[in-house]
Amino acid sequence: MDVALSPEDWSVIGLSLKVSLVAVAAMLPVAFALAWALARWRFPGKLLLDALVHLPLVVPPVVTGWLLLLLFGINGPVGAWLDRSFGITLLFRWTGAALAAAIMAMPLMVRAIRLSIETIDIRLEQAAETLGASRARTFFTISLPLALPGILAGMMLGFARSLGEFGATITFVSDVPGETRTLPIAIYAALQVPGAEDSVTRFAILSILLSLGALLLSEMLARRVGRKRVAHGL
Amino acid sequence: MSAESGSRMAFEISLRRDLGGRAIALECRAEARLIALIGPSGVGKTSILNMVAGLLRPDHGRIVVDGRLLFDSAAGVDLPPAQRHAGYLFQDRRLFPHMRVEANLRYGRRPGGTLEMDGVIALLGIGHLLHRWPDTLSGGEAQRVALGRVLLSAPHFLLMDEPLSGLDRSRRDEILPLIETLRDQIRLPILYVTHDHREAERLADLIVEMPEA
C-alpha cells in the first residue's frame, strides 16, 4: 500500500481541520451562553430549550442536514437573507460544512460546559462581590477561570465530533472536492470507486489518528489546567 | 438614635426574613464597636451576616452601619454587595482556589483603606505564604489570609462568622489577639458571630443573644 499522501489527500486533511476549527470557534460563544442559561437561569420554556439543544444528538443527522437545507438553502429564509444582505452563500461551501459540524457538535459542547458551570462554587462569586468586584469582574476573574476545564473539554469533544461529521454535512453541502470533501466524505467517496481501497485505508487511519490526537490533547489540557492554575487575579 | 446619644451608632439593624417557614429576626441598635451575635447553631446567625452583607435579602427591615444606609425595605434602598464595603470573613474562608495567596490578597484592594499591603502582611505574619496555593494552607493560615484579603478591601465594617471555629487551641490563640487589635486600633465596627460564650465575653462590647427559633 502506498502510504505517501498526495496533494489531494493533504487538501482533504487541511479542509477537515479548517472546518472543525471554525465550527468549534463559532459555536463556542453560543454553546457557552446556552450552557450558562441552562445552568444558572430559571425561565419559562427552559425544558424545551434543553430538549432543542440536545436534538442534534438524537435526530438522524440526515434530518438535521435537511433542516439546514430548508433554512440556509438559496431559497431558505435565512439563506436568502444572508445572500441578499451580505452576499454569503453556505450551500456547497466549506462554511456550510462548518455550520453543519457546529450544529452537530453543539449538544456535546453545551453539556460539557454546563456541567463545569454547575460545579462552580457560587459562594466564591459571593465572596468576590463582597470584596467589591462588579458582576462582570466576578464573571471574568472567578466564574470563567473556574469553568475553564469544562470549556476546554467541551471544545475538544466538539472538535472530535466535527471531524467525524458526515450525515448532516453531505445532506446540506453535498460532496464538492476541495470545498466540502472532509475526511468522512472522502472515505465515502473512495468507497464508491472500485480499486480505491488504498485511499479508504489511508483516510480511515488518518481519521483515527486525528481523533485520537484530539482526545489525548483534551485529556492533557484538562490535567494541566487541574494542576497549574491562573497565577494572578485580573 | 445618634441624636439622642450624641455619637453615631455603629449598627442599627432591624430585619426579618422567613427562610422555609422559619423566621429569622434581629433588632439591634448599638454604639458598641464589637457586637457578638450568640446563639446555638441553626438560629440564623449566618443569615443575619448575609443580610447585612447584601447576599440575602430581608423580607423587610432596615440596616444602617456607621451612619451609612445599606438597606431599607420601606424606602426601596438595597445596595448591592459590592457597594456595601463589608469586610466579610466567611466561616469557610472562601479563598479563590485558582489564585495564589498574593493574588487572593490583592483581589479586593481598594484605594482609601487605612491598611497597606505590607502592613497587613506584617500584622498577620503571612509574608512567607504569598506564593502558596490556598489548598496547601492550614486552617489557621487560610484564616489569616482570608482576614488579610478582607482588610485590604478597605472595609467600612467587619462581619466575622465564627472565625475561631475549626481551629485548634494554639491557632485560636494566634487569631484572637489579631481580632482584639482590629477592634482596638483600627476601630472598625464588627459584627461577630459565635456560639462560644467565653469568646464573646472576652471580645465583645455588647452581646446579643439570638433566641431559639
Side-chain angles (χ1 to χ4, degrees):
Chain A
M1 175 189 140
D2 185 7
V3 289
L5 295 174
S6 69
E8 194 196 328
D9 294 347
W10 280 112
S11 105
V12 167
I13 296 168
L15 181 70
S16 278
L17 292 175
K18 179 169 80 174
V19 163
S20 299
L21 284 173
V22 168
V24 169
M27 183 45 74
L28 185 60
V30 179
F32 187 87
L34 285 167
W36 188 270
L38 290 172
R40 287 290 177 91
W41 298 347
R42 273 194 283 176
F43 52 91
K46 180 170 166 172
L47 264 179
L48 184 65
L49 180 66
D50 200 7
L52 282 175
V53 163
H54 282 90
L55 217 50
L57 208 58
V58 288
V59 153
V62 63
V63 172
T64 305
W66 174 71
L67 286 172
L68 287 174
L69 205 52
L70 287 184
L71 280 173
F72 291 90
I74 306 291
N75 298 318
V78 187
W81 175 76
L82 279 176
D83 190 31
R84 215 173 38 243
S85 310
F86 306 101
I88 296 173
T89 318
L90 295 173
L91 200 62
F92 305 128
R93 300 285 161 79
W94 73 268
T95 43
L99 174 67
I103 296 295
M104 296 304 292
M106 175 178 68
L108 292 173
M109 292 178 70
V110 172
R111 276 181 86 88
I113 297 171
R114 177 182 177 174
L115 273 177
S116 72
I117 291 172
E118 282 170 348
T119 56
I120 299 173
D121 190 345
I122 289 177
R123 294 173 307 166
L124 294 174
E125 298 176 336
Q126 290 181 337
E129 284 180 39
T130 64
L131 288 166
S134 63
R135 285 280 168 92
R137 181 163 177 244
T138 302
F139 175 79
F140 284 111
T141 58
I142 307 295
S143 321
L144 203 54
L146 290 176
L148 200 58
I151 294 171
L152 289 175
M155 288 173 71
M156 283 300 159
L157 271 175
F159 182 74
R161 177 66 186 81
S162 295
L163 274 180
E165 166 42 34
F166 176 75
T169 308
I170 200 160
T171 312
F172 180 35
V173 292
S174 184
D175 171 19
V176 183
E179 187 71 35
T180 69
R181 183 175 282 184
T182 56
L183 267 172
I185 292 175
I187 294 172
Y188 181 76
L191 279 171
Q192 311 302 305
V193 183
E197 288 80 10
D198 275 7
S199 285
V200 173
T201 314
R202 261 201 324 273
F203 284 136
I205 292 172
L206 279 170
S207 290
I208 293 168
L209 288 178
L210 279 174
S211 306
L212 200 61
L215 288 175
L216 286 175
L217 192 64
S218 115
E219 190 62 27
M220 274 162 54
L221 275 174
R223 287 185 186 197
R224 207 180 145 81
V225 167
R227 208 173 41 232
K228 194 180 145 216
R229 288 148 290 197
V230 184
H232 296 284
L234 296 176
Chain B
M1 292 289 288
S2 52
E4 295 163 18
S5 64
S7 75
R8 204 156 63 170
M9 288 290 149
F11 290 99
E12 292 177 58
I13 297 171
S14 158
L15 20 102
R16 192 179 173 79
R17 157 100 195 197
D18 278 328
L19 269 185
R22 195 164 54 96
I24 292 167
L26 180 72
E27 299 283 339
C28 168
R29 213 159 64 183
E31 252 179 86
R33 301 311 283 180
L34 195 152
I35 299 177
L37 266 184
I38 195 161
S41 53
V43 293
K45 302 189 294 292
T46 299
S47 298
I48 296 287
L49 293 190
N50 284 339
M51 285 190 266
V52 176
L55 301 177
L56 183 66
R57 199 190 152 90
D59 293 333
H60 51 86
R62 185 176 142 87
I63 303 169
V64 181
V65 180
D66 220 12
R68 194 158 161 263
L69 180 66
L70 304 181
F71 179 84
D72 189 338
S73 55
V77 175
D78 184 9
L79 289 188
Q83 288 170 29
R84 294 198 180 196
H85 292 254
Y88 195 163
L89 190 63
F90 300 96
Q91 188 176 2
D92 50 2
R93 329 302 193 225
R94 304 195 192 180
L95 296 177
F96 304 129
H98 57 301
M99 298 178 193
R100 290 178 195 269
V101 166
E102 186 173 5
N104 264 283
L105 288 172
R106 288 183 191 282
Y107 190 86
R109 263 206 315 180
R110 273 189 278 220
T114 48
L115 291 162
E116 268 318 303
M117 191 81 174
D118 294 339
V120 167
I121 289 170
L123 176 73
L124 299 173
I126 51 178
H128 61 297
L129 302 174
L130 294 181
H131 298 293
R132 298 261 294 272
W133 293 106
D135 59 7
T136 69
L137 303 177
S138 71
E141 289 170 339
Q143 187 63 283
R144 280 183 288 159
V145 172
L147 186 55
R149 186 175 70 175
V150 157
L151 293 176
L152 285 167
S153 70
H156 295 180
F157 59 99
L158 299 180
L159 303 171
M160 295 187 164
D161 194 359
E162 309 237 15
L164 301 183
S165 78
L167 300 182
D168 60 38
R169 199 186 172 80
S170 60
R171 302 288 161 226
R172 285 167 166 254
D173 293 343
E174 279 176 26
I175 304 281
L176 211 52
L178 285 176
I179 294 169
E180 288 175 320
T181 305
L182 293 176
R183 180 194 59 191
D184 301 336
Q185 291 178 16
I186 297 162
R187 302 198 56 75
L188 292 171
I190 302 174
L191 194 55
Y192 187 104
V193 158
T194 181
H195 60 266
D196 185 320
H197 276 273
R198 292 225 315 261
E199 193 180 314
E201 275 155 22
R202 171 164 170 186
L203 289 171
D205 308 312
L206 177 73
I207 295 176
V208 177
E209 294 256 5
M210 295 263 306
E212 199 83 55

